């Protein structure tokens, strides 16, 4: 595959950065993942804005330009023979001495990757199982909002927990924080609907401020759905009528089953069967695990907006 290294098309087998790069030495780097629809990057201005804020927070002298980013993505798609792709736009801090820096990173490196997308029809996308993790979500390192940084040890350790526990490859792990609050999935933000109200953990609990998360909240409110962002326990999610997860590549994915850390079906408050037993309630899910009515409506609206390129 071809990638962009500091704006130059480069064969992935030949692309290199210094062993003194602080992205490698200390995890000082940031990235955005997004995808294209009809060759156009989706929600690009929002991704660029988040990346700019994160670079400023880490003292990395890099200001993303959405127009230049879009042009770079177009070159990358053409070079790799792709109509659409999964894009990872990475900014590494750049080279420095061994030791913690006192000043700004003035010479960051920009690396942009593309890879083919998987199955792309939301109507045929299988639902996910969401399994509660034993491992807790670390607090954001800087004390404020979580950055989408190169430091992914917490996520990787959680992925290994799922594998060791016999979870299927498509199972998503769900983090709680040290206060037993629902935070987010391994690679997703989590939402649920109960009695016609949409809930998602607030940013105070420690999730990534997902670009797709924010857009889905906007769409839900525009559709007349009451939305709450707050502090919620695992039992709150178990009482849901519908549940789904979001990220920039998979869009909105329905959750069809909830599991305890050992893989047992999760039980709701009072010993009820949790999400699985609520499928009949307000026709949230049919026997095949199809999305509930609000999930289906939001999935359809999201894809329509993305294909139209309407970011409002």
């Amino acid at each position: 595959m071809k990638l962009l290294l500091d704006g130059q098309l480069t064969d992935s087998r030949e692309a290199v950065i210094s062993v003194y790069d602080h992205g490698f030495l200390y995890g000082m780097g940031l990235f955005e993942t997004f995808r294209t629809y009809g060759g156009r990057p989706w929600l690009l201005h929002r991704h660029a804005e988040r990346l700019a804020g994160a670079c400023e927070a880490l003292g990395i002298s890099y200001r993303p330009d959405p127009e230049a980013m879009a042009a770079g993505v177009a070159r990358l798609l053409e070079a790799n023979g792709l109509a659409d792709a999964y894009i990872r736009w990475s900014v590494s801090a750049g080279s420095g001495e061994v030791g913690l820096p006192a000043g700004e990173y003035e010479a960051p490196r920009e690396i942009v990757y593309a890879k083919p997308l998987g199955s792309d029809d939301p109507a045929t996308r299988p639902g996910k199982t969401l399994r509660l993790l034993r491992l807790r979500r670390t607090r954001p390192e800087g004390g404020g909002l979580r950055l989408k940084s190169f430091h992914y040890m917490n996520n990787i350790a959680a992925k290994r927990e799922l594998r060791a526990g016999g979870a299927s490859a498509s199972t998503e792990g769900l983090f709680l924080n040290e206060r037993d609050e629902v935070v987010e999935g391994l690679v997703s933000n989590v939402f649920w609907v109960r009695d016609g109200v949409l809930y998602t953990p607030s940013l105070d609990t420690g999730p990534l401020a997902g670009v797709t998360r924010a857009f889905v909240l906007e769409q839900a409110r525009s559709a007349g759905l009451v939305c709450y962002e707050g502090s919620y326990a695992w039992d709150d999610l178990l009482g849901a009528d519908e549940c789904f997860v979001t990220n920039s590549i998979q869009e909105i994915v329905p959750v069809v089953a909830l599991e305890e850390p050992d893989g047992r079906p999760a039980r709701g408050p009072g010993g009820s069967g949790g999400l699985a037993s609520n499928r009949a309630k307000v026709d949230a899910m049919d026997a095949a695990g199809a999305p509930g009515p609000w999930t289906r409506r939001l999935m359809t609206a999201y894809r329509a907006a993305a294909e139209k390129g309407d970011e409002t």
Side-chain angles (χ1 to χ4, degrees):
M1 299 291 288
K2 300 288 186 181
L3 54 77
L4 289 173
L5 179 60
D6 296 328
Q8 300 300 313
L9 280 171
T10 308
D11 191 292
S12 59
R13 295 166 295 185
E14 299 172 357
V16 295
I17 61 172
S18 170
V19 294
Y20 287 96
D21 191 291
H22 278 209
F24 169 70
L25 287 174
Y26 300 112
M28 293 296 286
L30 301 151
F31 69 101
E32 294 290 325
T33 54
F34 51 89
R35 58 155 296 179
T36 65
Y37 295 83
R40 300 184 307 272
W42 170 235
L43 297 176
L44 181 58
H45 283 78
R46 301 186 189 212
H47 283 285
E49 182 179 5
R50 184 172 66 177
L51 180 57
C55 285
E56 183 177 357
L58 292 187
I60 298 174
S61 297
Y62 179 87
R63 187 72 185 179
D65 177 347
E67 291 188 6
M69 292 174 74
V73 169
R75 290 173 62 208
L76 202 53
L77 292 177
E78 182 179 10
N80 287 296
L82 298 171
D84 283 306
Y86 169 125
I87 304 294
R88 172 173 164 142
W89 196 285
S90 299
V91 178
S92 192
S95 296
E97 298 296 327
V98 175
L100 303 184
E104 302 286 300
Y105 289 107
E106 300 291 349
R109 307 298 302 274
E110 178 190 271
I111 312 101
V112 188
Y113 309 82
K115 71 176 185 179
L117 293 163
S119 176
D120 199 37
D121 182 358
T124 62
R125 184 178 299 144
K128 283 188 177 293
T129 295
L130 191 62
R131 180 181 292 193
L132 182 62
L133 292 161
R134 293 186 175 91
L135 183 67
R136 297 307 171 102
R137 191 64 167 124
T138 56
R139 298 301 296 177
E141 289 88 348
L145 292 179
R146 187 176 299 280
L147 304 180
K148 197 171 180 68
S149 76
F150 286 4
H151 179 37
Y152 253 56
M153 188 180 296
N154 193 214
N155 305 67
I156 292 171
K159 185 71 173 179
R160 294 188 179 207
E161 177 187 320
L162 290 178
R163 184 176 64 184
S168 69
S170 63
T171 296
E172 173 72 326
L174 180 72
F175 281 114
L176 304 183
N177 62 21
E178 76 284 357
R179 299 191 297 263
D180 291 333
E181 298 167 325
V182 175
V183 180
E184 63 184 346
L186 264 175
V187 293
S188 65
N189 291 114
V190 62
F191 294 79
W192 61 95
V193 178
R194 183 172 185 178
D195 297 329
V197 176
L198 182 68
Y199 298 90
T200 194
S202 71
L203 298 182
D204 292 340
T205 66
L208 180 71
V211 169
T212 303
R213 172 189 182 275
F215 190 80
V216 167
L217 280 170
E218 292 168 12
Q219 283 198 308
R221 289 178 174 128
S222 294
L225 186 57
V226 175
C227 303
Y228 289 134
E229 301 174 66
S231 170
Y232 305 108
W234 174 234
D235 279 354
D236 293 319
L237 201 159
L238 292 179
D241 303 322
E242 306 177 47
C243 180
F244 59 87
V245 294
T246 65
N247 69 33
S248 293
I249 305 302
Q250 297 177 326
E251 304 174 357
I252 298 171
V253 183
V255 170
V256 297
L258 300 173
E259 292 181 345
E260 298 292 346
D262 61 5
R264 291 181 296 111
R267 310 299 295 180
S272 65
L275 182 67
S277 70
N278 284 334
R279 286 179 179 168
K281 189 177 181 183
V282 299
D283 192 28
M285 293 183 182
D286 64 21
W294 273 111
T295 304
R296 184 185 303 109
R297 182 173 176 179
L298 291 170
M299 289 171 69
T300 300
Y302 184 94
R303 174 53 71 96
E307 291 182 341
K308 186 179 178 182
D310 182 7
E311 300 191 10
T312 59

